Amino acid sequence: MPLPFLTADRAFDTADDVALPYDDRDLWRRPYRPGPWRVGAAALMLLLASFVLFAAVIIAATGGPSSAGVIFGLAIVVILCALRMLRMGVWVSAHGVRQVGFFTTRTVAWQQVASLRTVQQPVRWLGLPRTVQGQALLLVRQGRSTEPSLLLTTHNCDFLARDGAFNRAADAVEAWADEYRRG
């Protein structure tokens, strides 16, 4: 079963001369692959879910259907959390840029984007309170005097110890912005 949200299209690996190598630009796409930390955490959650599902089967076989239902529901919640974690990240299309978080999703139309820039600044390490010096891709919206939105960092789950992947992803998002802010 293909999981389109898990991998980015392979077009960025083969077409370096084309900034936007996609045929159907109306579909939301992640211009990078999920990092090993994100995939590893989701795999561990799915492993935990398999043990919880096995426990639900054992509980159901021993005669407690209501308890088995609760445990089965817990396994479903863990599976859904793992899938949501894999879906997190920055997605682009002809409509705009979408930042998918665990609980929230924010979409900004390309016409509302004033600038996208990569800056050196303290960033959170794997989303934890500890900060380290790194790079971040910031989105500044038009007509907003608030702080810019942080889209990608070199120390999040997708790009930790993968500086080249961060640079390619930041360049890809900036290329989408340049293409559609002009039009």
Side-chain angles (χ1 to χ4, degrees):
M1 174 172 85
L3 301 173
F5 57 86
L6 186 57
T7 60
D9 284 338
R10 306 258 186 244
F12 278 103
D13 294 338
T14 59
D16 292 331
D17 57 340
V18 179
L20 308 176
Y22 299 117
D23 293 331
D24 188 4
R25 296 182 182 167
D26 288 332
L27 295 177
W28 289 99
R29 301 179 188 275
R30 181 176 14 209
Y32 58 91
R33 289 187 182 88
W37 287 91
R38 183 177 310 283
V39 173
L44 287 176
M45 289 178 71
L46 291 174
L47 180 66
L48 173 68
S50 70
F51 287 120
V52 173
L53 282 171
F54 185 66
V57 169
I58 290 174
I59 291 171
T62 59
S66 63
S67 299
V70 169
I71 301 301
F72 181 73
L74 177 67
I76 296 299
V77 167
V78 172
I79 291 170
L80 291 175
C81 288
L83 292 176
R84 184 63 180 183
M85 187 184 317
L86 288 173
R87 191 150 176 84
M88 289 171 54
V90 174
W91 296 71
V92 293
S93 80
H95 306 289
V97 61
R98 178 175 286 175
Q99 186 174 16
V100 178
F102 194 77
F103 295 111
T104 61
T105 299
R106 293 183 314 194
T107 303
V108 178
W110 291 122
Q111 291 76 21
Q112 296 175 348
V113 174
S115 69
L116 276 168
R117 64 181 188 269
T118 304
V119 297
Q120 287 277 0
Q121 70 177 34
V123 296
R124 294 175 133 196
W125 183 77
L126 292 177
L128 299 172
R130 177 179 176 222
T131 59
V132 294
Q133 190 65 26
Q135 292 184 11
L137 180 65
L138 299 178
L139 178 133
V140 178
R141 295 176 70 172
Q142 290 180 355
R144 300 281 177 134
S145 61
T146 62
E147 298 220 357
S149 300
L150 184 69
L151 293 181
L152 303 171
T153 68
T154 53
H155 289 81
N156 68 4
C157 293
D158 291 321
F159 302 111
L160 187 65
R162 296 175 57 214
D163 291 332
F166 171 79
N167 292 334
R168 284 190 305 273
D171 290 344
V173 173
E174 289 172 357
W176 280 83
D178 289 342
E179 177 74 22
Y180 288 104
R181 279 189 300 169
R182 280 189 272 147

